[in-house]
Amino acid sequence: MMNHTSVNTSRSLVVRLFASVLLCLMTTLQVSAQQFTAKVEDVGGYYRLTFTLTSSDASSFTPPSLAQFEVLSGPATSTYSSYQLVNGRASHSESTSFTYILSPKQTGTLTIGSATVRSGNRVFKSRPIVVKAVAGAHSGGANGGAGHQRGAAAAPHEAQQVGSAITQRDLFIDVTPSRTRLYEQEAVLLTYRVHARVGVALANTQLSRKPDFKGIVSQEIPLPGNQIQTTIEHRNGTTYRTGTLLQYVLFPQRSGKVTIPAISFDCTVLQQDHTLDLADAFFNGGGSIGVQVKRASQAVTLQVDALPQPKPAGFSGAVGKFSLRGEVLGGTVRTNDVVTYRLTLSGEGNLKLIAAPTVAFPKSFDTYDPKTTEKTQVSPNGLEGDMVFDYTFVPHTTGQYTIPATEFVYFDTEKGKYETLRTQPLTLDVQQGTRSNTDVDKQMALLRSDMHPIHEAADSPTTLPAFLQWGGLTYWLLHAVLLLFTLGLLWAYKRYVHFAAGEGVIRSRAAKEALTALSQCRQLQGNAYFAQVRRILTHYLAIYCHLQPAECTREGVAEALQAMGLPPETQQAAHELFETCDMAQYAPQSDESQTHVATLAESVVRACDAYTSR
Amino acid sequence: MLRRLSVLLCVSMLCLAAGAAPLPCDSMMKQAGIDYRAHRYQQAHALYSQCVQQPAVAADANLLALLYYNMGNCQSRLSNYAEAVLCYERALRLDPSHADAAYNLQWVRAKLTDRFDAPAQMFFISWMQSWLKSQSHRTWGMWALGLFAVSLLALGVCVASQRYSVRRLAFIVCLAALLLSLMFHIFAYSQYRRFHHECLAVIMAETACYDTPTSSATPKSQLHEGTVVQVLHASQPQWYQVQQPDGKTWWVKCPTVELVAKETLP
């Protein structure tokens, strides 16, 4: 009996245990599956309030009452979902968040209530948050979004509706001078700032026209980057976004009341057109329309005091705070050296407007006009940096010389009176140099001239290919090749000349002999003459054509002449000659025939000779 | 027929040589030229530096010299005189006949602080030296080859000619050309050695000069930026032994010294 009950109890225990474990698991699962949290972050003076739901299915989000805050932007909704497969294990996470940017309206402990959101068929509620707002916590915050030409874009979902008016209170530009009372030639900084009420989406600000500061020397201070950095400020209970548009440094050139005229700007404000549906809005730049508004800064009056009279003699016109230093550049100074004496004026004030002070060099020096280099940058107190004056001079004789102290009178704005700066006098020991007057002229010409300009790619001569460059293996091989080629040519030439000379000499000698013999045998008569002529010709042609005695028949000679390539008229003449001579053996020939044969024989010999010595 | 073929071959080869393929980084150089004329010297310098690093350009000595010259001009306009001297020295090392680089180097030198007297030399020797240094070893090599060919031609004429006067003249010409060719070979060798072994460097910032390479020693002198020195020894870590233009030698610390060509470091 006892066992049965105990078994029953134990079983129910197990079931209960199992059920509770399962319930716990389920709840934890549910808890881990769905969570709605709220958190607040301090971002540079204002607060980012984020509500996060760990599910991508969120609807009817109701924010808490944010009456103690000014809602600068929000709610911005974003969903996040990810699926990961790591080492065979799959994990899936997703979330939806609602973000507000808030600015507290008062200091102290402020409470943000709970927000509700619906997901699936459950309603989630976040926990309330307590925030401690500290006074003066509004430091600069870069709230600028995408902009061009000095623009600061606001979040589009906080823009005004299209058609709503943009009053002076919504958007205005003001100018702040760094001081209103100053001396003439003293620097004053003018800062132009644009103020846009939170809720007015200022997209772009541009100068309508560049300002014309008459009678005043002005310089614009370039602002870093293209965007305006905006800060949040409170003014008369309204929160504004403020940014610096322009800064000018001015040096008034005359005394009295100087009025800086108003400068007008063209501003573009984005206004939302919620009447457009989503598709139209997408294609029309998010449904915002740019409205052009003109705004002008107010005119500023400055009281410019004249510098106290009487002005001291030698007043340079410089106003500010300065220091002066003089030095001779280079090492030892020699005669006919072109030496530079450098005066450096450092400080801040109207540096650019200062002319080079006069330096009284010794009379025997050749002096030239001073060259001014400025290394200044704009600062709120005017221009600060260095003005470098280079005085060139050429000493011609040795000895000790002194460059006297240079005086510089300026007006110190801080002290309100004129100050005099003096450099130290410098002694120069001029040594004997080796340069001549022409060297000096050349150097002076060099100093006065400008450098030569850049070259284009086409100007460069083509570099030698690598195989022709000195020191390379192919370079020396080229030498060897040339040498061998020349030697080869010479050797071949020698061989040819030797071959030809031998031949030529023999042939020309034979021709000469034949001609002499022909002229000698004219005395002979009848057959003897013809036979002699034939003999002479055969002998000559045998030598000429390198024939053996046996080959010296008429046919053999004719063949040889043809092989030599003699012109056909010569061959014909030779043939006729032999024919006549042979006929003379059997029949007596006339006198004309004898002379004809004589001329023929001579012509054949000369033709052959001419043919070879071509 | 053969003659026509050979003429065609010659003409086609000339065409190939003349109508060269477009240079590498042609467009970058054009853009850099535009930037330079619009006074955007930094951008021009950056573009030229990119061109210099391309291997196709680095193999062409004259183009590289042109690029370094242009870079030197950019640096001069930006008043970075030490960098300008470095660029001009690099250009002159690659192409010693670049007259504009030599002029601009003189122009920049006139603005520097240090001035040295050249060591005393016979005027003839210094004239010879300046003539020798005015051309690259490639140019001297071409002259040597050309004169060698002339001497061979004269030899040929000497051997082949029949007339005694012609032979005598040809012999003299052959001998003279051979001697000149030898002289140009010597020039080329000298410039080749200088190109590969003369290690020049530019002082980039005011440097203290020491007698011995120990930091604890007191500096005896100083060299200002833009001075060109010759590096004699680099065996000590962090120290160079350099010789200034008038012959004095000092030990200086490495960081403020920039080498004209790193491969020439002894």
Side-chain angles (χ1 to χ4, degrees):
Chain A
M1 223 40 180
M2 198 62 149
N3 294 341
H4 187 68
T5 333
S6 63
V7 165
N8 270 342
T9 341
S10 59
R11 196 185 289 164
S12 62
L13 249 171
V14 167
V15 166
R16 242 182 277 160
L17 198 64
F18 185 68
S20 58
V21 164
L22 198 67
L23 199 66
C24 280
L25 266 171
M26 280 177 72
T27 40
T28 49
L29 271 170
Q30 269 196 334
V31 163
S32 62
Q34 310 268 23
Q35 253 188 329
F36 189 49
T37 54
K39 72 171 190 282
V40 169
E41 292 162 315
D42 188 330
V43 230
Y46 49 94
Y47 297 101
R48 178 159 57 225
L49 172 65
T50 317
F51 296 101
T52 315
L53 174 70
T54 53
S55 161
S56 53
D57 170 29
S59 56
S60 42
F61 168 72
T62 319
S65 156
L66 296 168
Q68 290 173 315
F69 298 90
E70 181 150 6
V71 178
L72 299 178
S73 89
T77 316
S78 73
T79 34
Y80 164 80
S81 150
S82 92
Y83 182 82
Q84 276 185 331
L85 194 65
V86 177
N87 289 339
R89 292 194 56 205
S91 61
H92 174 78
S93 70
E94 52 189 27
S95 70
T96 311
S97 46
F98 305 89
T99 314
Y100 285 89
I101 311 271
L102 307 171
S103 165
K105 280 188 183 157
Q106 66 227 45
T107 56
T109 316
L110 310 169
T111 317
I112 300 172
S114 46
T116 53
V117 74
R118 193 186 183 83
S119 167
N121 52 5
R122 287 196 55 187
V123 173
F124 293 92
K125 202 165 160 174
S126 70
R127 299 228 312 266
I129 304 177
V130 168
V131 170
K132 269 200 173 58
V134 181
H138 303 296
S139 52
N143 205 15
H148 45 95
Q149 186 110 30
R150 311 264 183 92
H157 39 258
E158 57 140 40
Q160 297 173 312
Q161 265 284 72
V162 87
S164 47
I166 305 168
T167 63
Q168 197 66 24
R169 216 171 142 254
D170 290 330
L171 175 70
F172 64 95
I173 295 177
D174 69 357
V175 56
T176 323
S178 61
R179 61 186 110 207
T180 43
R181 186 150 182 189
L182 57 150
Y183 285 103
E184 59 179 291
Q185 298 272 13
E186 193 181 344
V188 59
L189 180 73
L190 288 180
T191 314
Y192 289 87
R193 287 202 188 87
V194 65
H195 304 264
R197 187 172 64 80
V198 162
V200 172
L202 182 67
N204 203 351
T205 313
Q206 249 173 298
L207 266 179
S208 313
R209 201 179 46 245
K210 252 191 131 53
D212 173 23
F213 301 111
K214 281 191 267 288
I216 306 169
V217 171
S218 66
Q219 181 148 350
E220 188 179 336
I221 300 185
L223 288 173
N226 242 350
Q227 300 185 37
I228 309 178
Q229 299 282 69
T230 57
T231 61
I232 304 283
E233 66 164 21
H234 287 301
R235 203 187 264 253
N236 302 332
T238 322
T239 315
Y240 287 94
R241 253 199 220 102
T242 308
T244 312
L245 288 172
L246 280 181
Q247 278 188 312
Y248 276 103
V249 169
L250 304 179
F251 299 95
Q253 300 291 299
R254 51 184 176 79
S255 54
K257 269 193 159 30
V258 175
T259 314
I260 313 289
I263 299 177
S264 66
F265 293 86
D266 289 323
C267 308
T268 312
V269 175
L270 289 176
Q271 292 186 327
Q272 282 282 40
D273 190 354
H274 287 303
T275 57
L276 288 176
D277 65 59
L278 202 62
D280 275 338
F282 182 79
F283 287 108
N284 290 333
S288 336
I289 298 174
V291 178
Q292 295 278 43
V293 184
K294 254 187 151 47
R295 285 287 179 273
S297 66
Q298 71 274 28
V300 180
T301 315
L302 302 168
Q303 171 66 37
V304 181
D305 295 328
L307 293 172
Q309 297 283 3
K311 294 204 184 118
F315 176 55
S316 59
V319 174
K321 278 193 78 57
F322 305 103
S323 64
L324 191 63
R325 194 177 74 239
E327 57 180 345
V328 169
L329 299 179
T332 40
V333 178
R334 299 216 156 84
T335 54
N336 284 349
D337 259 357
V338 178
V339 193
T340 311
Y341 175 65
R342 177 166 285 179
L343 267 181
T344 315
L345 183 74
S346 340
E348 56 180 13
N350 58 345
L351 276 173
K352 255 201 211 172
L353 307 170
I354 301 171
T358 30
V359 178
F361 286 105
K363 284 207 179 45
S364 65
F365 287 5
D366 273 348
T367 52
Y368 300 91
D369 290 333
K371 203 163 83 107
T372 314
T373 326
E374 54 164 294
K375 295 184 203 158
T376 57
Q377 59 243 33
V378 190
S379 79
N381 275 335
L383 288 171
E384 74 172 343
D386 294 335
M387 282 290 270
V388 180
F389 305 107
D390 284 333
Y391 301 81
T392 346
F393 64 90
V394 181
H396 290 297
T397 45
T398 56
Q400 296 263 20
Y401 295 95
T402 317
I403 300 178
T406 316
E407 272 194 8
F408 182 75
V409 184
Y410 72 98
F411 182 78
D412 192 330
T413 47
E414 238 173 274
K415 294 186 193 153
K417 56 190 179 76
Y418 294 95
E419 296 280 338
T420 312
L421 291 173
R422 260 188 211 91
T423 60
Q424 296 281 42
L426 288 172
T427 34
L428 275 181
D429 187 14
V430 181
Q431 310 275 339
Q432 182 60 43
T434 45
R435 294 158 55 110
S436 66
N437 280 334
T438 41
D439 287 336
V440 177
D441 292 335
K442 259 201 287 191
Q443 187 160 359
M444 282 315 296
L446 194 66
L447 282 173
R448 285 212 202 91
S449 69
D450 194 15
M451 50 189 230
H452 287 179
I454 53 168
H455 289 171
E456 297 301 326
D459 294 339
S460 84
T462 38
T463 316
L464 274 178
F467 72 91
L468 281 178
Q469 289 192 12
W470 191 95
L473 185 64
T474 43
Y475 178 80
W476 299 116
L477 276 176
L478 200 62
H479 274 71
V481 160
L482 272 178
L483 186 66
L484 287 173
F485 181 69
T486 316
L487 288 177
L489 262 183
L490 281 178
W491 175 80
Y493 178 73
K494 269 276 186 209
R495 281 284 304 261
Y496 171 74
V497 162
H498 173 78
F499 177 77
E503 288 305 301
V505 165
I506 291 169
R507 277 206 182 115
S508 56
R509 210 183 303 149
K512 279 204 190 75
E513 280 177 19
L515 286 171
T516 348
L518 280 172
S519 59
Q520 276 177 352
C521 73
R522 268 185 218 248
Q523 291 91 341
L524 292 173
Q525 294 291 329
N527 192 27
Y529 176 73
F530 288 105
Q532 181 66 359
V533 168
R534 195 180 192 285
R535 217 176 296 128
I536 293 168
L537 254 301
T538 322
H539 177 73
Y540 171 70
L541 288 173
I543 296 171
Y544 188 81
C545 307
H546 308 294
L547 293 174
Q548 303 295 333
E551 295 167 8
C552 289
T553 55
R554 202 169 89 187
E555 294 80 21
V557 168
E559 260 177 48
L561 285 179
Q562 194 169 32
M564 291 282 299
L566 281 167
E569 51 272 15
T570 318
Q571 290 182 44
Q572 185 62 30
H575 177 83
E576 203 186 315
L577 190 67
F578 278 114
E579 215 180 293
T580 325
C581 289
D582 284 345
M583 271 182 39
Q585 279 184 334
Y586 309 109
Q589 300 291 313
S590 60
D591 285 326
E592 305 88 46
S593 180
Q594 194 163 324
T595 39
H596 179 66
V597 159
T599 31
L600 216 57
E602 232 173 276
S603 75
V604 166
V605 171
R606 282 193 210 280
C608 289
D609 197 30
Y611 183 77
T612 42
S613 56
R614 247 182 322 112
Chain B
M1 163 72 173
L2 197 69
R3 198 191 295 183
R4 225 178 286 163
L5 254 176
S6 63
V7 163
L8 195 69
L9 195 70
C10 278
V11 166
S12 60
M13 280 180 78
L14 273 168
C15 282
L16 267 173
L23 289 158
C25 74
D26 214 14
S27 54
M28 273 204 274
M29 285 182 72
K30 278 205 186 67
Q31 180 56 39
I34 293 167
D35 278 336
Y36 183 90
R37 278 181 275 275
H39 304 298
R40 293 190 291 267
Y41 301 119
Q42 280 285 23
Q43 283 99 306
H45 178 76
L47 281 168
Y48 284 133
S49 321
Q50 272 183 31
C51 286
V52 155
Q53 302 191 352
Q54 293 193 1
V57 167
D60 183 350
N62 283 341
L63 184 62
L64 202 57
L66 185 139
L67 284 168
Y68 275 123
Y69 167 74
N70 287 354
M71 279 165 72
N73 275 18
C74 294
Q75 295 284 31
S76 304
R77 290 288 187 217
L78 291 167
S79 301
N80 300 334
Y81 294 128
E83 280 89 344
V85 168
L86 187 67
C87 290
Y88 289 137
E89 285 288 352
R90 284 189 176 142
L92 284 171
R93 176 179 175 262
L94 290 161
D95 182 7
S97 62
H98 202 299
D100 280 342
Y103 181 83
N104 282 5
L105 181 63
Q106 261 194 310
W107 190 87
V108 169
R109 256 208 202 115
K111 297 181 165 22
L112 301 172
T113 333
D114 281 339
R115 213 155 285 147
F116 296 102
D117 299 321
Q121 266 181 332
M122 288 272 299
F123 88 94
F124 175 79
I125 294 175
S126 57
W127 177 81
M128 197 70 161
Q129 282 250 336
S130 66
W131 187 39
L132 200 161
K133 286 195 210 175
S134 68
Q135 299 289 343
S136 68
H137 61 272
R138 293 178 294 275
T139 319
W140 290 133
M142 280 316 288
W143 277 98
L145 185 66
L147 279 171
F148 184 68
V150 163
S151 79
L152 286 178
L153 194 70
L155 182 72
V157 166
C158 176
V159 165
S161 171
Q162 307 282 11
R163 292 175 53 189
Y164 176 67
S165 55
V166 168
R167 291 178 70 154
R168 194 175 57 179
L169 185 67
F171 181 71
I172 291 169
V173 166
C174 171
L175 219 55
L178 212 58
L179 281 170
L180 275 176
S181 171
L182 191 67
M183 185 180 83
F184 287 138
H185 274 301
I186 294 171
F187 283 7
Y189 174 67
S190 169
Q191 283 292 75
Y192 186 81
R193 260 197 76 84
R194 184 169 284 121
F195 182 79
H196 284 289
H197 294 128
E198 187 187 48
C199 185
L200 292 177
V202 179
I203 310 281
M204 302 305 278
E206 202 168 298
T207 317
C209 308
Y210 300 88
D211 272 335
T212 51
T214 44
S215 339
S216 50
T218 46
K220 292 284 180 334
S221 173
Q222 46 177 220
L223 286 170
H224 297 95
E225 63 167 31
T227 311
V228 179
V229 293
Q230 190 177 356
V231 177
L232 301 174
H233 289 292
S235 39
Q236 296 264 13
Q238 290 301 309
W239 287 93
Y240 287 143
Q241 189 186 27
V242 299
Q243 183 178 48
Q244 60 188 37
D246 64 1
K248 283 214 215 25
T249 55
W250 302 109
W251 286 92
V252 294
K253 291 214 181 84
C254 292
T256 47
V257 175
E258 194 73 45
L259 295 169
V260 166
K262 288 190 181 58
E263 55 262 24
T264 57
L265 196 60

